[in-house]
Amino acid sequence: LLNSLSQCGIQTHLLKRLNMREQLIKKAEIIPIEFIVRNIATGSLSKRLGIAEGTVLNKPLLEYYLKNDELGDPIITKEHIYSFEWAAKKEIEIIDKMTLRINDLLQGIFRAVGIKLVDFKIEYGRVWNNSKGVNEIILADEISPDTCRLWDMKTDKKLDKDRFRKDLGNVIEA
C-alpha cells in the first residue's frame, strides 16, 4: 500500500522493500500523535458517543490521540497539539490534507476488492530535506489489518484485528 500511496504523491518513510519481512525506511522524528480517520461508526466512537455501530458518517471524521501508552493514548484536540507544541498549525494543516487524501485512496483500493474501509490509524514524522533546507512531513507508519478496520462490503463481516479482539473465529479466512 505504501508504494501505491507514493505513486499518488503521498510522501512516505518507505525507501524500498529488502525482502518479505524487511524494508529500508527514512529516519524520521515521529510526531507524538495518532491520527484516526473514521468513515463508519464503530469501536470507541460508538462507545463514547452512543452512535450505533455501522452508522455511515456523512464525511470522514478526523480524530487526534496523544501517543502515550501509559495514559492510554487519550483523545486530544488541535488546541492541545498547538498549546503543547507537539506539532505546528502548518504541519497539522498538511497532515489533515494528506490524511484525507490517504483515506480517499485507500477507500478506492479496498472498494476494488470488495472491502469497506471503516477506519484507520496512521502516524507522521518529520524528515530533513537537504535540497529544500526544511523539514518535511511524511507518512511514517504501516497500513495493515492491525491499523485498519476492514469489513466485507456485502456481509459487513469483520476482516481485521476485531476478529481477535471479539473472538469471532475464522482468523485465517479473514
Side-chain angles (χ1 to χ4, degrees):
L1 288 175
L2 293 180
N3 284 330
S4 296
L5 294 176
S6 291
Q7 291 171 358
C8 293
I10 301 293
Q11 296 286 330
T12 76
H13 67 313
L14 180 66
L15 294 171
K16 70 177 184 175
R17 295 213 42 138
L18 300 175
N19 56 48
M20 290 298 290
R21 297 187 319 159
E22 297 176 306
Q23 57 191 7
L24 184 62
I25 61 169
K26 296 174 188 173
K27 183 176 181 179
E29 174 195 349
I30 299 299
I31 295 169
I33 301 165
E34 294 179 346
F35 298 85
I36 310 289
V37 178
R38 298 182 187 277
N39 297 305
I40 299 172
T42 191
S44 65
L45 179 65
S46 292
K47 289 175 190 164
R48 275 194 331 264
L49 303 178
I51 307 298
E53 180 170 292
T55 301
V56 176
L57 305 176
N58 62 0
K59 68 177 192 169
L61 176 64
L62 280 138
E63 293 182 330
Y64 312 92
Y65 292 80
L66 180 62
K67 264 182 69 68
N68 186 316
D69 290 339
E70 290 175 13
L71 298 176
D73 299 332
I75 192 168
I76 57 175
T77 66
K78 286 183 182 179
E79 288 75 17
H80 291 111
I81 295 168
Y82 306 145
S83 291
F84 298 111
E85 299 179 349
W86 294 318
K89 185 174 183 177
K90 179 74 172 156
E91 291 175 319
I92 295 300
E93 289 170 357
I94 291 167
I95 289 170
D96 285 353
K97 188 175 180 180
M98 282 177 64
T99 302
L100 292 173
R101 175 85 172 119
I102 291 167
N103 185 53
D104 287 344
L105 294 167
L106 291 179
Q107 281 188 313
I109 289 168
F110 286 120
R111 189 178 300 119
V113 293
I115 296 173
K116 291 180 190 177
L117 177 62
V118 175
D119 60 30
F120 65 98
K121 173 211 69 89
I122 51 179
E123 298 175 23
Y124 290 90
R126 299 176 187 97
V127 294
W128 181 256
N129 183 324
N130 282 327
S131 64
K132 293 183 182 178
V134 295
N135 276 325
E136 290 185 332
I137 300 295
I138 62 166
L139 175 63
D141 200 2
E142 67 174 321
I143 296 175
S144 73
D146 193 41
T147 62
C148 301
R149 278 200 180 90
L150 305 167
W151 294 354
D152 182 272
M153 287 188 85
K154 292 179 184 167
T155 66
D156 281 344
K157 183 176 182 179
K158 292 169 175 52
L159 305 172
D160 53 61
K161 64 184 175 184
D162 278 349
R163 297 215 65 80
F164 294 102
R165 283 183 175 164
K166 298 180 179 183
D167 197 24
L168 299 174
N170 298 324
V171 172
I172 301 300
E173 177 189 331

